[in-house]
Amino acid sequence: MMYLIAAIAGIAGALFGFDEGVIAGALAPLRRDLGIDPVAEGMMTAAVPFGAFLGAIVAGRLALAYGRRRLLLAAAVLFVVGALLSAFAFGLWSLTIARLIIGLGVGVAAMMAPLYISECAPAAQRGMLVSIYQLAITLGILGAYVVGYAFHESWRWMFAVGAVPAIALFVGIFGLSDTPRWLAVRGREAEARAALARMREKSESDPAVKAEFAEILTGAVQDENRKARLSDLIAPRVRPALIVAMGLFLLQQLSGINAVIYYAPTVFELSGFSSTTTQILATAGIGVVNVLMTIVGMALIDRLGRRLLLLIGFAGTAVALGVIAIGAATGSEMMGKLALGGLVLYIASFAIAIGPLPWVMMSEVFPLDVRALGMSVASLVNWGFNFLVVFSFPVLVAEFGLAGVFGLYAVVCVIGLAFTQWLVPETSGVSLEEIERHLDSGRPLRDLGRFTPRAA
Ligand code: BGC
């Protein structure tokens, strides 16, 4: 059963990644067929993260009334429709609208999947499942790059392939029930108990199932009585957690990751790689390094700790971006090599830490009563800044060149170092309850893991 849930995480993550990555290979044939200017290109490309931003808001509002399962099904439908519409698009506008629809689906799925998992997974496996989600994002990106290589002449086929994982999501979810927690909140206790027993593969009368169900019921009742509000997030107790969660996503996105993920072939083109096939091949290499280093990051996350890993990540991305920026500014003859080496170092440093950690930490730092709300605000920050970077990249490059834009991202990574040093707590090996007690104590969140709050 847990494998099924992990598979849902996997498919939703892969959808997220595929839709980010597919445009990389599609842009060259699109430019050829539609002849678009930088503003139009930014708009059409960024329609996915913009739609996802809207989708995440809608999902946050509808999740209580309609449930996680039905929203995931709706997302899958949106996604199939969007993929087919973009495959048959007849111009820039229809493509932009199709991508907006895909984005809506991605936003809903990318929010509902982690929620579904966190409400169904046994506590001990939550962290692992969150990392699987990030790994699936990178696999989705790589899949999109491979599809871009295979169909390099036809953007229509690239988009059409995107319907496949969406159909898989629909079929996968169709056979599952909603989460025990949501069923309980809606007062459907018998169904909730049955769903929980099925997920734990035990009988309803099993003591462990009974105990867990009692806990779910108490939590559900508490939620009913005390609805988390936005103002709760800025209350002094929760604010440090909000700053860490939002800050990490803001830095993750402004480090320029999606300028690379969405526009890698363009970056290679600007660095002197003239053949489209070489550009896509180099891009696929970036996709492979992204997957592999995410796996390395998963292995290191609990050994090195969150903070050290983040410091390594931001240092690596800052150096890599700086090298590319200087190479581009000085018109170095070695620009091709610098760009390739720089981008490999960049993506490796990102994948090992800056990719997974914001997702992991957003599910750790918030106290239980505001966790869902905090996570949804944090993912809105993710999509909002994803949109900003993706939309602005073609325009900024046309205006300031690669050197200016990558230089800017490098500065953000240096700020990331300072942010981590001063504000990010060490949460590895600390239980969620301990984190919550620490927040309650009013001590700076950053002190967590330095002196243990257990004495309190
Ligand atoms: C980010 C995405 C990014 C991906 C790259 C994720 O953690 O949220 O925006 O494209 O990592 O692997």
Side-chain angles (χ1 to χ4, degrees):
M1 201 61 209
M2 282 318 299
Y3 289 113
L4 248 181
I5 296 171
I8 294 172
I11 299 172
L15 280 175
F16 179 155
F18 186 89
D19 279 296
E20 290 198 313
V22 71
I23 198 69
L27 272 177
L30 275 171
R31 284 183 196 129
R32 182 195 62 204
D33 294 355
L34 303 180
I36 33 185
D37 64 59
V39 176
E41 179 175 314
M43 209 175 55
M44 180 269 296
T45 307
V48 165
F50 185 68
F53 181 81
L54 299 179
I57 296 180
V58 173
R61 296 192 176 272
L62 299 184
L64 183 61
Y66 294 99
R68 289 73 171 115
R69 178 179 169 273
R70 254 181 272 167
L71 280 182
L72 277 167
L73 289 174
V77 171
L78 279 174
F79 193 72
V80 177
V81 171
L84 295 180
L85 281 180
S86 45
F88 290 107
F90 40 82
L92 183 71
W93 276 106
S94 51
L95 183 57
T96 305
I97 290 170
R99 285 179 54 80
L100 201 66
I101 295 175
I102 295 182
L104 275 173
V106 174
V108 173
M111 177 142 167
M112 283 305 107
L115 193 62
Y116 194 100
I117 296 158
S118 68
E119 289 183 350
C120 295
Q125 284 167 354
R126 251 195 341 240
M128 191 261 293
L129 287 169
V130 173
S131 312
I132 288 188
Y133 182 63
Q134 170 70 19
L135 182 62
I137 296 178
T138 62
L139 283 168
I141 294 172
L142 178 59
Y145 289 167
V146 172
V147 168
Y149 184 67
F151 296 104
H152 60 277
E153 285 298 320
S154 164
W155 51 271
R156 294 190 187 277
W157 272 108
M158 295 182 207
F159 291 136
V161 171
V164 176
I167 294 173
L169 183 68
F170 191 93
V171 174
I173 299 283
F174 199 78
L176 294 179
S177 67
D178 214 303
T179 71
R181 196 150 206 284
W182 180 76
L183 291 167
V185 171
R186 304 301 288 176
R188 292 155 63 174
E189 285 184 26
E191 282 172 74
R193 191 178 300 117
L196 181 67
R198 248 194 333 271
M199 280 170 190
R200 298 293 174 261
E201 292 171 37
K202 293 194 173 121
S203 84
E204 285 182 35
S205 54
D206 185 277
V209 170
K210 278 188 168 165
E212 192 175 354
F213 188 66
E215 211 177 303
I216 289 177
L217 269 189
T218 325
V221 171
Q222 268 170 8
D223 263 17
E224 278 293 88
N225 295 340
R226 197 190 160 289
K227 289 233 158 46
R229 291 195 197 92
L230 276 180
S231 57
D232 294 334
L233 289 181
I234 46 172
R237 177 176 79 114
V238 185
R239 201 182 305 146
L242 183 71
I243 292 173
V244 169
M246 284 179 41
L248 283 178
F249 272 123
L250 185 138
L251 290 161
Q252 181 196 59
Q253 293 302 320
L254 293 186
S255 73
I257 181 61
N258 289 317
V260 174
I261 297 291
Y262 292 60
Y263 297 103
T266 312
V267 174
F268 284 122
E269 187 186 355
L270 291 169
S271 314
F273 290 82
S274 51
S275 122
T276 314
T277 340
T278 320
Q279 292 160 15
I280 303 275
L281 212 55
T283 300
I286 295 293
V288 172
V289 176
N290 193 17
V291 172
L292 294 180
M293 290 307 278
T294 302
I295 299 175
V296 175
M298 282 163 70
L300 291 181
I301 216 164
D302 290 314
R303 282 187 221 163
L304 290 189
R306 282 47 166 160
R307 283 173 42 81
L308 181 57
L309 214 49
L310 271 175
L311 291 173
I312 295 173
F314 280 123
T317 50
V319 169
L321 290 165
V323 166
I324 302 175
I326 292 169
T330 55
S332 162
E333 278 181 10
M334 296 183 10
M335 189 51 201
K337 290 199 184 87
L338 282 183
L340 190 60
L343 282 186
V344 168
L345 175 63
Y346 173 79
I347 203 77
S349 316
F350 178 91
I352 206 172
I354 309 173
L357 276 166
W359 297 104
V360 170
M361 294 196 76
M362 86 164 179
S363 65
E364 294 177 334
V365 289
F366 289 109
L368 184 62
D369 55 340
V370 293
R371 189 168 299 148
L373 184 67
M375 282 169 68
S376 64
V377 170
S379 47
L380 284 182
V381 171
N382 180 20
W383 287 118
F385 284 92
N386 187 326
F387 164 73
L388 195 76
V389 168
V390 171
F391 173 64
S392 63
F393 182 76
V395 185
L396 290 178
V397 165
E399 196 68 28
F400 304 108
L402 200 57
V405 186
F406 275 27
L408 194 70
Y409 299 150
V411 172
V412 173
C413 295
V414 173
I415 298 176
L417 280 172
F419 181 86
T420 308
Q421 181 58 25
W422 285 317
L423 293 171
V424 176
E426 182 53 74
T427 54
S428 56
V430 185
S431 76
L432 296 187
E433 290 70 28
E434 256 175 87
I435 299 176
E436 186 157 350
R437 269 204 303 278
H438 188 94
L439 285 169
D440 288 340
S441 77
R443 284 195 294 261
L445 184 57
R446 163 71 177 80
D447 287 346
L448 186 74
R450 283 207 296 201
F451 72 91
T452 356
R454 220 172 273 137

